[in-house]
Amino acid sequence: MENHLLKEVSEFVSEKNIGMFIGGQWRNSVDGSIFQTLDPGTGKVLANVAEGKAEDIDAAVKAARKAFKESNWASMSARQRGQYIHRLADLVEENRQVLVQLESLDVGKPLAQADGFDIPDVAQTLRWYADLAVANELKKPLQVKDCKAYQLYSPLGVSAFVLPWNFPLLLVGWNLAPSLAAGNTNVIKPAEDTPLTTLYFCKLVEQAGIPPGVVNVVPGYGHTAGAALARHPQINHMGFTGSPEVGRLIASECGRNLVPVKLELGGKGAAVVFDDVDIDNTVDQLVAAVTLNTGQVCCTATRWLIHQNIWEEFVALAVKKLSSIKIGYGQDSSTQMGPAINQKQKTRILKYIENGINQKAETLLEGGTTEVDGYPNGFYVKPCLLAGGPDNICAKEEIFGPVGYLIKFDSEQQAVEIVNGIDYGLANSVWTKDNERAKRIAESMIAGNSWINAHNLFYHGVPYAGCNLSGFGGGVLGADTLSDYLRVQSIVTPL
């Protein structure tokens, strides 16, 4: 493997202790603790990283608060900030292949996935919000009787983020970019499984000349560093992406300090497929969706509602195409699906399959553990297809793995009732050539996002968020997201 790594990647992961980035400086943890990250594809140690705890989080928040008060980041014009952010985007593009390799190593995902979407999107998101902030009006007049009034929009202060392991740097972009563009300073706690690209990103923050303390990154565990950040009394906004279970804990801690919180939580995406579709094309897209990042995608389509008229043909083709997916090491250019992130997640996926079968699900394509030649200790699983009724555990709960659950339906009403019969509300799709039916179904599904004849679509300018168990507090990628990181003040003069 080492022979295939870029020099920058090899040197970075080989460091004795990759430090945390606080106040523009690389530091060890206060108590000297280190944790190890594993390569999901080999099961072997990938890197040694400084383990942040409450004391380190406190130092990062204080550094961010100092930068907010004493640097000119918050007071400079949006255009001036935009120049720094565009320079940072330039550096992401210049270091694209380094970041791609690191992301693939860290998560286990194929190089093509990291290179085709994840890393390029980070640069695009930085640029989009930098430009949006320049165009944003920070003083908006109010037309009211007997007074002269306007609203003033100002940076909040310190934004805090606890981010997940499935799309580490992509989600740094989605969360950090609007906060930076709005003039806030920031503290990020990346997932303990995948901190490497976020830490390498800090090198680019330095090179871009962004003032010390504007971006701070403290790696560590959720129950220590993450919890300390959520409960810190000097943050002004919290963004969390992850499970509903942890989201409840984050929201509870923030509630005690009356800190606004944005939660982007799990999902159980449905794809409703009618009998007038191009079956071959639809199967291709849904197979790609359920195997993307080994199914470790909160919004992906894992419930496939298939019209009874095309059931047999659809199932046969889906089994054939999923069976041909090339499972392999992420750094192998021929790999289509990599491993699960760790042994815990692999075990979770296998247990869900077992429980689903115990609840009378029919096995259409057997899943389970698998081995990849040359990588016997990687956390590899096979894609799985199950079928049955909507009350099965695999139809109701988020598995976070390459497991599709198929449900047969015969009417629009039945399909919508099944889609809306669970507690999640993140993203669904409808597949049909009938445009009016597509719009009817899309509008009837209770979720933050409804896609037509496609799944997993993310465009800058289209808000992406969830409802119900899938989150609250605002979304990402939309223009409104910039406003989430601004404080609103009314200025009134009587006439």
Side-chain angles (χ1 to χ4, degrees):
M1 180 189 71
E2 288 291 334
N3 294 334
H4 300 290
L5 296 183
L6 295 169
K7 177 183 177 183
E8 296 90 338
V9 174
S10 182
E11 290 179 350
F12 186 64
V13 300
S14 299
E15 289 184 21
K16 184 177 180 180
N17 175 14
I18 301 175
M20 54 192 67
F21 188 67
I22 298 176
Q25 297 181 338
W26 293 93
R27 305 186 187 182
N28 294 327
S29 57
V30 169
D31 66 2
S33 295
I34 294 174
F35 68 96
Q36 294 180 323
T37 67
L38 301 182
D39 179 341
T42 66
K44 297 179 180 179
V45 173
L46 178 59
N48 297 304
V49 181
E51 181 191 343
K53 297 179 182 175
E55 296 89 346
D56 305 293
I57 288 292
D58 185 59
V61 173
K62 287 178 177 176
R65 184 154 292 280
K66 180 180 179 181
F68 187 76
K69 291 180 177 180
E70 298 180 10
S71 80
N72 61 348
W73 186 254
S75 60
M76 71 174 62
S77 69
R79 188 173 298 279
Q80 289 175 304
R81 279 195 300 270
Q83 292 174 346
Y84 286 100
I85 297 172
H86 272 280
R87 175 57 183 148
L88 180 57
D90 290 342
L91 289 165
V92 169
E93 291 172 343
E94 291 169 16
N95 290 271
R96 175 171 172 167
Q97 292 311 313
V98 173
L99 295 169
V100 164
Q101 279 198 357
L102 275 175
E103 198 80 334
S104 174
L105 283 172
D106 226 5
V107 185
K109 66 177 61 183
L111 287 167
Q113 290 181 14
D115 195 26
F117 179 65
D118 298 26
I119 304 307
D121 192 80
V122 174
Q124 293 164 13
T125 304
L126 288 167
R127 295 190 193 285
W128 195 80
Y129 277 108
D131 293 343
L132 182 67
V134 171
N136 193 43
E137 178 57 61
L138 296 179
K139 290 184 178 181
K140 297 182 180 180
L142 300 172
Q143 301 301 321
V144 291
K145 186 179 180 181
D146 297 330
C147 71
K148 182 178 181 181
Y150 63 94
Q151 286 188 307
L152 177 68
Y153 293 79
S154 305
L156 289 171
V158 177
S159 295
F161 302 99
V162 175
L163 300 178
W165 46 257
N166 55 340
F167 291 91
L169 197 58
L170 175 80
L171 291 173
V172 167
W174 285 11
N175 287 273
L176 179 65
S179 180
L180 271 182
N184 297 295
T185 56
N186 307 271
V187 179
I188 301 170
K189 204 294 287 184
E192 58 267 26
D193 287 294
T194 57
L196 298 183
T197 44
T198 304
L199 289 166
Y200 198 92
F201 178 79
C202 294
K203 293 177 176 286
L204 310 184
V205 170
E206 284 185 288
Q207 292 177 42
I210 292 174
V214 171
V215 177
N216 305 273
V217 174
V218 180
Y221 293 99
H223 66 278
T224 52
L229 185 56
R231 71 168 67 101
H232 203 288
Q234 291 187 319
I235 64 172
N236 300 100
H237 185 276
M238 166 60 71
F240 171 74
T241 305
S243 70
E245 294 77 18
V246 178
R248 288 188 179 97
L249 298 175
I250 295 280
S252 177
E253 295 289 0
C254 290
R256 290 186 176 92
N257 293 324
L258 297 180
V259 171
V261 59
K262 180 196 298 284
L263 300 178
E264 197 276 278
L265 307 177
K268 189 68 179 175
V272 180
V273 183
F274 285 90
D275 58 356
D276 61 344
V277 299
D278 179 329
I279 296 178
D280 189 74
N281 177 63
T282 304
V283 168
D284 278 343
Q285 293 198 57
L286 291 182
V287 165
V290 82
T291 56
L292 176 68
N293 207 28
T294 317
Q296 299 166 136
V297 183
C298 55
C299 60
T300 204
T302 57
R303 291 185 294 159
W304 299 359
L305 280 64
I306 312 301
H307 195 278
Q308 62 182 7
N309 291 349
I310 59 170
W311 176 268
E312 298 296 336
E313 183 180 357
F314 190 98
V315 167
L317 193 56
V319 168
K320 178 182 178 181
K321 293 193 174 187
L322 265 179
S323 300
S324 68
I325 290 292
K326 172 68 183 303
I327 303 170
Y329 188 59
Q331 298 287 305
D332 183 341
S333 60
S334 67
T335 292
Q336 294 175 292
M337 191 180 89
I341 186 65
N342 54 31
Q343 183 60 50
K344 179 181 177 181
Q345 185 61 24
K346 176 180 177 178
T347 300
R348 171 189 170 95
I349 294 166
L350 299 180
K351 188 64 177 178
Y352 264 110
I353 295 172
E354 178 186 345
N355 290 340
I357 293 172
N358 288 340
Q359 292 185 9
K360 310 303 182 185
E362 177 187 359
T363 301
L364 302 175
L365 177 64
E366 185 179 0
T369 190
T370 189
E371 287 192 7
V372 172
D373 289 344
Y375 305 98
N377 298 313
F379 310 121
Y380 297 98
V381 294
K382 295 183 289 187
C384 176
L385 286 181
L386 302 174
D391 292 330
N392 190 282
I393 190 172
C394 290
K396 297 170 64 177
E397 296 186 12
E398 185 175 39
I399 300 172
F400 228 54
V403 182
Y405 189 90
L406 281 69
I407 304 171
K408 189 183 296 184
F409 77 93
D410 62 8
S411 70
E412 290 186 22
Q413 180 181 355
Q414 181 190 22
V416 171
E417 288 177 353
I418 292 172
V419 171
N420 294 339
I422 63 171
D423 294 329
Y424 289 105
L426 187 54
N428 303 305
S429 58
V430 55
W431 304 73
T432 177
K433 294 178 181 177
D434 184 330
N435 292 332
E436 290 304 313
R437 176 165 62 189
K439 287 189 287 185
R440 274 198 311 274
I441 301 297
E443 292 174 3
S444 299
M445 296 189 291
I446 300 173
N449 309 273
S450 286
W451 295 311
I452 295 175
N453 293 325
H455 206 97
N456 293 338
L457 300 178
F458 309 102
Y459 296 103
H460 295 99
V462 179
Y464 171 82
C467 62
N468 299 336
L469 200 60
S470 293
F472 64 79
V476 292
L477 296 182
D480 287 348
T481 305
L482 183 65
S483 300
D484 294 338
Y485 294 95
L486 292 167
R487 173 175 58 84
V488 184
Q489 182 177 3
S490 295
I491 309 296
V492 183
T493 304
L495 295 178

